[in-house]
Amino acid sequence: MSDSNWYVIDNVAQLDSPALVVYPDRVRENVTLLTQAIYDVNRLRPHVKTNKSREATRLMLEAGIQKFKCATIAEAEMLAMAGATDVLLAYQPVGAKQQRFVELIQKYPDTLFSCLVDNLATALQLSDLASVAEISIPVYVDLNVGMNRTGIAPDEHAKTLYAQLTQLSGIRPVGLHAYDGHIRNPDLAQRTAECDAAFAPVQQLAEALSADGFAPPLIVAGGSPTFPIHTKRHIDGLPPVECSPGTFIYWDKGYGATLAEQPFLPAALVVTRVISLPDDTKLCLDLGHKSIAAECELGLRVSFLNAPELKAIGQSEEHLVVEAGAGHTYQIGDVLYGIPNHICPTVALYERAFTIEDGLVTGEWATVARDRIIAV
């Protein structure tokens, strides 16, 4: 099979659609590319919100990656089930999530769990629960470096909060978390300048904390767009900055189009079929809102590797209508291979991904952390 039709499934007739399919050989290649992009694998803390599966996690573990980041208690538990030894819940636990987090720590003592906090009141609540459970939870102060959704500014208020956290029982501050997902300029030089400007106060805060006698704080920074920038950071007197890309493992059309400097391969697709011909120029596919992330504008949600000319013009829960043009030759039952614009929320729509090896459906990877609750 040539590189141009790497995605073709020879026994696709046995695969119901719509379906999420993953290509393990390409996943392995992406993991290798990730580890080669940084001088120390211990600086990697990949986010698993993209794959949500034990199998993908184990491929990273086999490559020597031991630290991970996640967004939900279920993702954290999935990581522990897979054998991860260091898991950061990149989310501030509030309400019932605090008790679940404590129970998670108790259930998986071989995994070091940590989480984010951005205010003293929440930290006090978590401290009380941890103290009763007789555990100590490492916490990172969540910094707002421009996303404007969670975290506090990396200034004197953050420094004060960090100092206050050291006085609490049940938790202990160990570092700073700075997610700069708003920085995604296609021009790498401009993206680098924006990233460095957003990171500068984080570095200043870390250096100030160290100068005040605190243990030099760990810094977890960035996502996929700023990954190649943070990999180059070295700050004298501070631990190496940890990097947290996530989409790399499956990649998608969105980042493939805007992050040209990153060589990751598309490794997960959606398989769909033509189910109706509404008129002479249109096709209807079984790829509705429930089967592809619908956050982007209609025309950008999915592109078809074997039918790049098709343009989406309408979508509902179970259907996607595309314009094929006059004189097209598509027939009912034709199979199309779609690359999502955003793979992460697309994966979350499927309870399993079918594995494709040597052109054949060979098995499946359960999207186990798609559920909000696994056991805890």
Side-chain angles (χ1 to χ4, degrees), residues 242-259:
E242 295 181 2
C243 304
S244 297
T247 307
F248 77 93
I249 198 157
Y250 289 164
W251 215 226
D252 57 25
K253 180 67 178 295
Y255 277 162
T258 58
L259 307 181

Side-chain angles (χ1 to χ4, degrees), residues 44-56:
L44 291 173
R45 188 181 284 275
H47 204 310
V48 300
K49 66 185 178 67
T50 301
N51 65 80
K52 301 180 186 292
S53 80
R54 287 169 291 194
E55 291 84 357

Side-chain angles (χ1 to χ4, degrees), residues 45-327:
R45 188 181 284 275
H47 204 310
V48 300
K49 66 185 178 67
T50 301
N51 65 80
K52 301 180 186 292
S53 80
R54 287 169 291 194
E55 291 84 357
T57 298
R58 286 171 183 144
L59 292 182
M60 289 186 277
L61 287 167
E62 291 170 6
I65 299 170
Q66 284 292 324
K67 293 180 284 190
F68 297 88
K69 196 163 90 169
C70 62
T72 69
I73 298 291
E75 290 172 1
E77 183 166 13
M78 178 274 292
L79 285 164
M81 293 165 65
T85 58
D86 188 329
V87 174
L88 167 59
L89 176 66
Y91 210 88
Q92 179 168 248
V94 174
K97 199 180 300 294
Q98 292 184 347
Q99 183 59 45
R100 289 182 64 201
F101 190 53
V102 168
E103 292 173 5
L104 181 72
I105 293 170
Q106 294 173 318
K107 182 177 176 66
Y108 297 95
D110 294 334
T111 299
L112 174 66
F113 293 99
S114 54
C115 69
L116 305 184
V117 295
D118 68 7
N119 69 91
L120 184 59
T122 301
L124 284 167
Q125 294 168 357
L126 188 61
S127 170
D128 289 344
L129 286 173
S131 296
V132 170
E134 298 183 335
I135 60 175
S136 177
I137 303 175
V139 297
Y140 290 74
V141 172
D142 189 21
L143 301 175
N144 179 5
V145 294
M147 281 294 289
N148 298 326
R149 60 182 190 188
T150 65
I152 59 174
D155 56 19
E156 285 298 318
H157 293 95
K159 185 179 174 184
T160 298
L161 175 61
Y162 201 95
Q164 291 171 325
L165 296 178
T166 65
Q167 303 304 306
L168 302 182
S169 60
I171 65 174
R172 63 184 191 279
V174 296
L176 308 172
H177 176 264
Y179 178 58
D180 52 14
H182 62 294
I183 300 173
R184 51 182 65 197
N185 195 308
D187 183 278
L188 180 58
Q190 294 185 38
R191 197 186 328 143
T192 299
E194 294 171 10
C195 177
D196 288 345
F199 186 79
V202 177
Q203 179 175 333
Q204 293 168 5
L205 174 60
E207 291 173 335
L209 289 169
S210 184
D212 283 352
F214 297 106
L218 302 169
I219 302 176
V220 178
S224 295
T226 56
F227 170 65
I229 303 164
H230 290 301
T231 60
K232 297 178 172 61
R233 297 205 186 283
H234 174 77
I235 308 172
D236 290 337
L238 294 178
V241 174
E242 295 181 2
C243 304
S244 297
T247 307
F248 77 93
I249 198 157
Y250 289 164
W251 215 226
D252 57 25
K253 180 67 178 295
Y255 277 162
T258 58
L259 307 181
E261 79 284 348
Q262 300 193 40
F264 300 111
L265 307 174
L269 304 175
V270 289
V271 172
T272 182
R273 286 182 171 87
V274 178
I275 59 169
S276 185
L277 304 174
D279 62 31
D280 291 343
T281 68
K282 297 179 182 62
L283 317 176
C284 183
L285 316 178
D286 55 357
L287 197 68
H289 295 142
K290 298 176 182 177
S291 307
I292 193 82
E295 66 187 291
C296 303
E297 64 177 86
L298 178 59
L300 297 178
R301 292 171 189 172
V302 63
S303 300
F304 300 102
L305 296 179
N306 59 331
E309 79 283 2
L310 297 182
K311 304 298 181 184
I313 59 173
Q315 191 178 31
S316 54
E317 292 186 33
E318 309 290 352
H319 306 86
L320 178 68
V321 178
V322 299
E323 180 65 47

